[in-house]
Amino acid sequence: MKTFVAKPETVKRDWYVVDAADKTLGRLATEIALRLRGKHKPEYTPHVDTGDYIIVINAEKVTVTGRKTQDKMYYSYSGYVGGMKETTFEKLQAHKPELIIEKAVKGMLPKGPLGRAMFRKMKVYAGSEHSHAAQQPQVLDI
């Protein structure tokens, strides 16, 4: 019996919607990364993007444990001397809540062109509304 290798043109991708309200950030991000990679499918192939599309809603209501709301720091560097900016989880949740989930999931995906293609299949929204109703996404309970 030969080993099955998925081809990019034969991969069937589904759309799922995930409600991030009152979910722990890391546990949510690992499940999303697993679905984006396609590791939950029997036809998973490491060098082919076999994952599904994921829509995350209520990103503003995601939680972290312990004192991470005040202690967890997010850094961005402009490339210039003294260009390091840092912000806490609390401030980032108030200004750009989508970025919290995006950064957590992006770090769990492969680096390179394949990982970037997987990351583009994730859509994150701060509120409960999204513009992908035409794709008829299924509710994914995590």
Side-chain angles (χ1 to χ4, degrees):
M1 188 169 141
K2 289 193 147 193
T3 303
F4 177 78
V5 178
K7 294 177 182 64
E9 57 272 4
T10 61
V11 175
K12 184 183 177 297
R13 293 193 176 92
D14 297 320
W15 283 76
Y16 292 100
V17 64
V18 175
D19 189 4
D22 301 322
K23 299 279 192 321
T24 307
L25 176 64
R27 293 174 190 272
L28 177 73
T30 51
E31 188 63 33
I32 291 171
L34 180 105
R35 296 278 175 164
L36 287 172
R37 283 198 78 179
K39 288 190 110 176
H40 64 290
K41 296 181 178 182
E43 62 266 9
Y44 168 72
T45 307
H47 64 277
V48 178
D49 185 7
T50 57
D52 296 323
Y53 288 89
I54 304 288
I55 303 162
V56 182
I57 57 172
N58 292 322
E60 63 198 4
K61 297 176 185 168
V62 75
T63 61
V64 288
T65 58
R67 293 188 52 198
K68 288 186 211 117
T69 46
Q70 297 91 24
D71 295 346
K72 185 166 177 58
M73 301 298 285
Y74 289 92
Y75 300 97
S76 64
Y77 181 57
S78 68
Y80 290 97
V81 177
M84 180 80 86
K85 292 181 182 175
E86 60 180 32
T87 182
T88 62
F89 177 87
E90 207 168 29
K91 288 180 185 173
L92 199 59
Q93 198 171 25
H95 296 306
K96 292 183 185 173
E98 303 93 1
L99 201 63
I100 293 170
I101 294 176
E102 286 176 2
K103 283 187 80 123
V105 172
K106 192 171 191 175
M108 296 177 187
L109 292 174
K111 311 311 181 249
L114 183 64
R116 288 191 291 273
M118 290 173 183
F119 183 70
R120 279 193 290 270
K121 293 187 314 215
M122 182 177 71
K123 320 292 184 195
V124 184
Y125 297 97
S128 59
E129 299 295 317
H130 64 84
S131 59
H132 303 284
Q135 281 73 29
Q136 298 167 345
Q138 304 165 4
V139 176
L140 182 65
D141 196 28
I142 296 177

